[in-house]
């Protein structure tokens, strides 16, 4: 285990209506036509489909409130300097033609990290961070974990390409819990900020799983085009977006909300013109979701309020350096955004910014250098307990040896590496 680097320095309305003048005579209020009923407000429940020709109303950005930053977590130099590191040993694979593959490490929501790696033959090992280093745990299939509280949850896929099954790994006991195999392949998954996972299957079923893998509910969802994005907001409400020739017309985006109890709403026109690219739904601080689309460059194209059957343009602050990833803070007090820092391509230090729900910048700091140059910056992940993980680039080398007959053989070696800050964002 490498020694921590020295700690860096932290860089640190409504307008009320005017009261009437005393003695001023006000005109009588405008009377409603008695022949018409007032329009019912949209509560997010089943209503008539909107006119596909209408465009969403623009929602003004909330005004910055200085008090917002008081609820943003404080990150101290001492906490930044208390990072931990884990890496696999250099492994030799005889005459195999390819080395292992390092998958992204995942925080377990309890101050530790799970580092998955896949062998060239298709099997997988999981390294689990612990107080005294790491322990090896294994699974018989390729496991794709997501961060929960005190463990990781995800689908396991057999090497022969059979149907997947839900798997939960308790990172304290290193015990696996598995559910029976699904009846169809998994098309897309999304983490539930309240705990658990959503999965959309090829047979059109949406399933909700608890943080330890138990099935909460299963419901069919009718989409008129291929699924492009799946997201769960901070209240546990699920949004599915389909794009293409939907029931609302060619090149449109269709949305369907499914509430926290598993009750789907009616389809609605989410966007009148479907953007080209890869879609991503990110939870907003308190409720609803942002839609980002990456096509060469990333842009934020829409915002959705929880269970509301319409979209609005994304707030303007998201467009500032839109390529930076956006992570919701665990308590819903705001967001974390980051970008690569350092003076050269060989000096990878992430620049981190903490942002209030209104988009107001509240704090900035830099993750410390590990002490050795890095060729590339890996992604950051943020767990429910505030643990931050940084994927470090894998290191590979090829050696050789000659057998007794003079034939040369290659040996491929790979090191998978990660460092993390337990409970950094509190």
């Amino acid at each position: 285990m490498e020694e921590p680097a020295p700690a860096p320095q932290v860089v640190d309305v409504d307008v009320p209506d005017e009261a009437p003048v005393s003695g001023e005579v006000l005109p009588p209020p405008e009377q409603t036509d008695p022949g018409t009923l007032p329009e019912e407000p949209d509560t997010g429940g089943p209503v008539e489909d909107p006119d596909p020709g209408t465009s969403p109303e623009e929602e003004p950005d909330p005004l910055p409130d200085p008090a917002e930053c008081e609820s943003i977590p404080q990150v101290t130099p001492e906490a930044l300097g208390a990072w931990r590191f884990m890496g696999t040993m250099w492994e030799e694979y005889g005459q195999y033609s390819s080395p292992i593959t390092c998958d992204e490490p995942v925080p377990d929501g309890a101050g530790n990290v799970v580092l998955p790696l896949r062998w060239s033959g298709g099997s997988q090992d999981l390294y689990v961070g612990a107080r005294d280093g790491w322990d090896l745990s294994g699974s018989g299939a390729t496991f794709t974990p997501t961060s929960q509280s005190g463990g990781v949850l995800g689908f396991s896929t057999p090497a022969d390409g059979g149907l997947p099954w839900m798997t939960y790994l308790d990172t304290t006991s290193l015990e696996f819990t598995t559910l029976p195999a699904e009846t169809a392949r998994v098309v897309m998954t999304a983490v539930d900020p309240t705990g658990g996972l959503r999965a959309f299957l090829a047979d059109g079923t949406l399933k909700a799983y608890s943080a330890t893998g138990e099935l909460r509910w299963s419901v069919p969802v009718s989409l008129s085009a291929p699924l492009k994005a799946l997201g769960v907001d901070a209240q546990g409400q699920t949004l599915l977006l389909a794009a293409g020739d939907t029931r609302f017309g060619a090149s449109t985006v269709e949305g369907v909300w499914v509430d926290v109890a598993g009750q789907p709403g009616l389809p609605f026109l989410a966007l009148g013109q479907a953007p080209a690219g890869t879609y991503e739904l990110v939870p907003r601080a308190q409720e609803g979701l942002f839609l980002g689309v990456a096509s060469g460059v990333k842009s934020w194209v829409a915002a959705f309020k929880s269970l509301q059957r319409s979209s609005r343009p994304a707030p303007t602050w998201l467009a500032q350096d839109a390529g930076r990833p956006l992570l919701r803070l665990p308590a819903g007090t705001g967001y974390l955004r980051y970008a690569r820092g350092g003076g050269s391509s060989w000096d990878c230090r992430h620049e981190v910014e903490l942002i209030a729900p209104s988009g107001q910048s509240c704090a900035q700091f830099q993750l410390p250098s590990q002490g050795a140059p890095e060729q590339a910056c890996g992604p950051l992940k943020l767990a429910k307990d505030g643990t931050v993980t940084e994927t470090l680039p894998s290191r590979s080398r090829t050696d050789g040896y000659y057998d007794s007959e003079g034939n040369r053989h290659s040996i491929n070696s790979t090191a998978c590496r990660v460092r993390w800050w337990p409970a950094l964002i509190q």
Side-chain angles (χ1 to χ4, degrees):
M1 183 177 296
E2 300 180 26
E3 293 295 326
Q9 296 297 316
V10 177
V11 185
D12 275 353
V13 179
D14 294 329
V15 179
D17 296 333
E18 294 184 0
V21 179
S22 176
E24 180 181 358
V25 178
L26 299 177
E30 184 177 350
Q31 298 296 318
T32 304
D33 181 0
T36 61
L37 294 176
E39 184 180 353
E40 291 287 338
D42 181 8
T43 61
V47 295
E48 292 297 321
D49 290 336
D51 178 5
T54 61
S55 58
E57 297 180 6
E58 290 201 16
E59 181 181 8
D61 292 346
L63 296 176
D65 180 1
E68 280 186 313
C69 289
E70 296 177 3
S71 61
I72 293 294
Q74 301 295 312
V75 179
T76 66
E78 293 76 17
L80 285 171
W83 51 269
R84 302 175 63 194
F85 171 86
M86 180 173 66
T88 62
M89 305 290 288
W90 290 102
E91 302 285 356
E92 297 185 348
Y93 296 97
Q95 300 183 42
Y96 285 139
S97 60
S98 61
I100 60 176
T101 299
C102 303
D103 293 330
E104 284 189 11
V106 176
D108 69 350
N112 279 322
V113 67
V114 175
L115 177 58
L117 58 89
R118 284 177 287 122
W119 295 57
S120 57
S123 61
Q124 184 188 53
D125 285 334
L126 301 174
Y127 289 80
V128 181
R131 247 183 289 190
D132 297 326
W134 47 263
D135 297 305
L136 178 63
S137 181
S139 63
T142 300
F143 175 44
T144 305
T146 65
S147 178
Q148 299 296 325
S149 296
V152 292
L153 178 72
F155 283 100
S156 294
T157 305
D160 61 6
L163 293 174
W165 61 87
M166 180 59 70
T167 300
Y168 172 69
L169 171 61
D170 185 320
T171 50
T172 300
S173 64
L174 298 181
E175 293 181 355
F176 284 91
T177 302
T178 60
L179 271 67
E182 299 292 344
T183 56
R185 66 179 181 87
V186 176
V187 176
M188 198 173 295
T189 63
V191 175
D192 182 351
T194 67
L197 200 66
R198 300 286 189 276
F200 185 77
L201 306 186
D203 62 3
T205 302
L206 178 68
K207 292 190 174 184
Y209 299 88
S210 74
T212 54
E214 293 85 2
L215 182 64
R216 287 175 173 165
W217 47 257
S218 176
V219 62
V221 179
S222 177
L223 298 175
S224 60
L227 182 69
K228 289 285 287 186
L230 175 66
V232 188
D233 78 354
Q235 297 180 354
Q237 323 284 9
T238 307
L239 177 62
L240 301 92
L241 296 179
D245 295 337
T246 75
R247 70 190 77 207
F248 298 103
S251 300
T252 59
V253 178
E254 172 187 57
V256 175
W257 281 102
V258 180
D259 69 20
V260 68
Q263 179 63 39
L266 293 177
F268 65 94
L269 177 65
L271 292 173
Q273 180 62 46
T278 303
Y279 290 23
E280 177 190 18
L281 285 169
V282 175
R284 295 167 65 173
Q286 297 296 330
E287 58 82 31
L289 298 144
F290 293 128
L291 173 62
V293 178
S295 180
V297 295
K298 186 171 186 176
S299 59
W300 296 94
V301 299
F304 298 89
K305 286 189 173 181
S306 189
L307 297 180
Q308 192 167 97
R309 300 171 60 247
S310 62
S311 67
R312 289 175 168 80
T316 54
W317 62 266
L318 272 177
Q320 301 170 8
D321 200 2
R324 291 185 300 163
L326 180 73
L327 305 176
R328 174 184 174 271
L329 297 182
T333 54
Y335 308 96
L336 180 152
R337 297 183 86 177
Y338 66 92
R340 189 184 72 83
S344 71
S345 61
W346 292 92
D347 185 17
C348 173
R349 286 176 288 177
H350 282 104
E351 302 280 357
V352 180
E353 181 180 19
L354 301 181
I355 302 172
S358 67
Q360 179 180 193
S361 180
C362 295
Q364 301 85 33
F365 58 89
Q366 186 179 75
L367 297 184
S369 172
Q370 192 191 346
E374 295 293 351
Q375 186 176 7
C377 277
L380 301 182
K381 291 183 182 293
L382 179 60
K384 297 179 185 301
D385 68 336
T387 294
V388 174
T389 62
E390 178 186 41
T391 303
L392 298 175
S394 60
R395 289 180 175 172
S396 301
R397 71 182 182 192
T398 300
D399 298 320
Y401 70 94
Y402 292 90
D403 61 22
S404 59
E405 298 179 356
N407 298 313
R408 190 180 188 280
H409 299 267
S410 295
I411 302 175
N412 296 307
S413 305
T414 301
C416 302
R417 305 176 304 138
V418 60
R419 66 172 177 163
W420 71 100
W421 290 259
L424 179 67
I425 309 294
Q426 290 294 304

